[in-house]
Amino acid sequence: MRYVFLLLAFVFCACESQDPKSHIQHLPGYWEISQVHLPDGTQRDFKINTLIDFIEVRGDSGNRKKLAPKLDGTFQTTKVAEQFFLKIEGNNLQLHYKTPYAEWTETVLESGDSLLKVKNEDGKIYTYKKFKPFNFSE
């Protein structure tokens, strides 16, 4: 019976993981951070963000830019922009960043039309949601 349980647990876990290539289609767009899970188990929630990330992908590379949303629905571009390269390693999609100041890697854990989760080299898990422009008519 124990072996049946282990087999079912393995099948369940194997079916739940996304194909790493499928993450690529979900990366482009405007993303705002909603939470960070730290390796010590603590969590920080973000209710309001003054900056959002704009991610664009072209082939096996892309850019991530920090934007400041304005009340009229436009964005003010900051000087913060990072280039990354996409690489599938094992069963993971990784974003390899390189700037004049640092190099680091993020692993995409989960992605969808409205959710993006990445884990950095320090073990921090960042959860993003799709940015929705301000709408004062609601």
Side-chain angles (χ1 to χ4, degrees):
M1 183 68 176
R2 188 169 104 193
Y3 295 109
V4 172
F5 176 75
L6 289 174
L7 180 62
L8 288 174
F10 175 77
V11 169
F12 177 76
C13 291
C15 293
E16 193 161 318
S17 65
Q18 286 179 283
D19 174 21
K21 288 182 183 179
S22 71
H23 292 304
I24 297 170
Q25 67 183 337
H26 299 293
L27 291 177
Y30 298 89
W31 295 96
E32 70 177 310
I33 192 163
S34 60
Q35 349 180 278
V36 177
H37 291 271
L38 302 175
D40 67 4
T42 59
Q43 174 181 311
R44 180 172 177 205
D45 294 321
F46 293 83
K47 302 291 183 202
I48 298 173
N49 296 298
T50 58
L51 294 175
I52 63 168
D53 291 344
F54 174 66
I55 299 176
E56 53 188 351
V57 176
R58 290 175 312 286
D60 62 352
S61 66
N63 288 303
R64 178 185 229 159
K65 297 176 187 171
K66 296 287 184 186
L67 305 176
K70 295 167 65 174
L71 296 176
D72 65 1
T74 62
F75 299 96
Q76 181 176 351
T77 304
T78 68
K79 294 182 181 181
V80 179
E82 301 154 341
Q83 185 177 12
F84 61 83
F85 296 93
L86 300 168
K87 188 173 183 184
I88 294 177
E89 294 182 9
N91 199 28
N92 296 307
L93 175 64
Q94 295 191 333
L95 309 177
H96 293 270
Y97 292 88
K98 185 175 182 178
T99 70
Y101 311 105
E103 291 183 33
W104 69 97
T105 301
E106 292 179 336
T107 301
V108 178
L109 300 177
E110 190 177 341
S111 68
D113 291 334
S114 60
L115 174 77
L116 176 62
K117 272 189 181 182
V118 298
K119 184 176 185 178
N120 72 7
E121 295 169 332
D122 295 332
K124 295 176 184 171
I125 298 174
Y126 294 87
T127 302
Y128 296 88
K129 61 183 179 180
K130 279 286 187 178
F131 174 74
K132 294 181 182 172
F134 301 114
N135 185 352
F136 295 106
S137 62
E138 291 180 354

